[in-house]
Amino acid sequence: MEDMERTIRMKGRATVTAPSDITVISLNISGKEESFSDAIEAMSKATGGLKDLIASAGIERSSVKTSDLRVEQSFRKVKIGTDRNGYDKFKEVEDGFSYYQRVHFEFPTNDKVLSEVIYKISSGGVTPRISFSFRNSDPEGMKNKALAEACRHAKEEAETIVSSVGSKLGRLLSVDRNFSTYSDYDDGRGYDMPLSAKCMAAPIDIDPEDYSVDQSVEMVWEITD
């Protein structure tokens, strides 16, 4: 409590959790070809094939989106002799073009669908690296709910302190807000695996952690008699 200014500053914090009802799958496609055009062609063919496989598992083909794409020249080191001290000397020479593309899609969390998607991808002759993670379908609603709770907690504590000394809470002077969202999806943790044609359509039993949103506020009120 700040007596001279007749104000009180209080912090409030709240965390809201809800089921992780959306599964997010990311696929990394990479390779290397001799020329730039060959790299583009190989990448496009691999991506198109993956989209077809995903669609065959019942996922809308148009829902598969690209989040990262790179084609760049590769180099390798070639020994060209030794220096005056006997150490090997190397030079870099061109070594084709490497490509990388990351695509992702999502669907309502369902172990059967997840198992089918992984099986379809792994049995289609394309071997991307796959990772899957989870989120809630309404993070904005969760954020607003957590923010309201944080404000309510701050006000209740301020009122308790002020009323205990015979004063009242006056008008709100300022609000400083910050928030962070965290979950198995947002902090980068999750499940990651390389796929091969040897994968089987084995049942998957995953119970993802709840999705959590944390909000905090700092509020200042006038104190009245």
Side-chain angles (χ1 to χ4, degrees):
M1 185 179 296
E2 301 171 359
D3 293 328
M4 293 184 63
E5 298 180 3
R6 301 285 293 170
T7 63
I8 183 170
R9 183 184 304 270
M10 188 63 60
K11 293 182 178 180
R13 182 174 180 176
T15 299
V16 171
T17 61
S20 298
D21 56 358
I22 297 294
T23 296
V24 182
I25 294 187
S26 296
L27 301 168
N28 296 340
I29 307 159
S30 61
K32 188 171 70 172
E33 299 292 335
E34 290 187 3
S35 69
F36 181 84
S37 59
D38 287 343
I40 292 291
E41 183 179 354
M43 181 174 61
S44 298
K45 182 178 180 180
T47 304
L50 276 176
K51 288 183 176 181
D52 291 339
L53 293 170
I54 293 166
S56 70
I59 305 297
E60 288 289 336
R61 197 177 192 278
S62 60
S63 69
V64 183
K65 305 298 183 182
T66 296
S67 56
D68 191 11
L69 187 154
R70 300 192 300 271
V71 179
E72 53 192 10
Q73 192 166 28
S74 297
F75 297 88
R76 60 184 175 88
K77 289 184 177 181
V78 176
K79 183 179 177 180
I80 58 175
T82 56
D83 60 20
R84 59 188 299 177
N85 296 314
Y87 295 106
D88 291 340
K89 294 174 62 178
F90 298 88
K91 72 173 182 178
E92 288 191 336
V93 298
E94 296 179 359
D95 189 32
F97 288 81
S98 298
Y99 62 85
Y100 171 87
Q101 186 171 8
R102 182 179 181 87
V103 299
H104 68 275
F105 59 97
E106 57 186 49
F107 53 87
T109 296
N110 183 303
D111 286 348
K112 184 177 180 180
V113 174
L114 177 59
S115 179
E116 180 69 10
V117 167
I118 292 176
Y119 172 69
K120 290 289 187 180
I121 293 173
S122 66
S123 62
V126 182
T127 55
R129 190 170 189 92
I130 183 171
S131 61
F132 46 101
S133 49
F134 307 91
R135 68 172 181 84
N136 182 265
S137 56
D138 186 23
E140 188 67 20
M142 293 178 64
K143 183 194 75 173
N144 292 336
K145 183 177 179 180
L147 180 59
E149 284 293 299
C151 291
R152 183 178 64 82
H153 292 164
K155 185 178 181 181
E156 286 181 353
E157 291 193 11
E159 287 177 331
T160 298
I161 293 172
V162 171
S163 63
S164 69
V165 294
S167 297
K168 296 181 180 179
L169 208 60
R171 64 189 180 93
L172 179 64
L173 299 178
S174 68
V175 179
D176 184 16
R177 178 178 79 91
N178 63 73
F179 73 93
S180 61
T181 303
Y182 58 94
S183 68
D184 202 40
Y185 171 64
D186 279 340
D187 65 11
R189 294 177 294 133
Y191 303 85
D192 182 80
M193 64 170 69
L195 293 184
S196 72
K198 297 180 181 179
C199 292
M200 301 298 291
I204 293 178
D205 184 9
I206 295 176
D207 186 16
E209 294 179 341
D210 285 344
Y211 188 88
S212 301
V213 174
D214 181 88
Q215 292 275 336
S216 61
V217 294
E218 185 174 277
M219 309 175 75
V220 179
W221 291 268
E222 285 183 337
I223 297 174
T224 60
D225 292 329

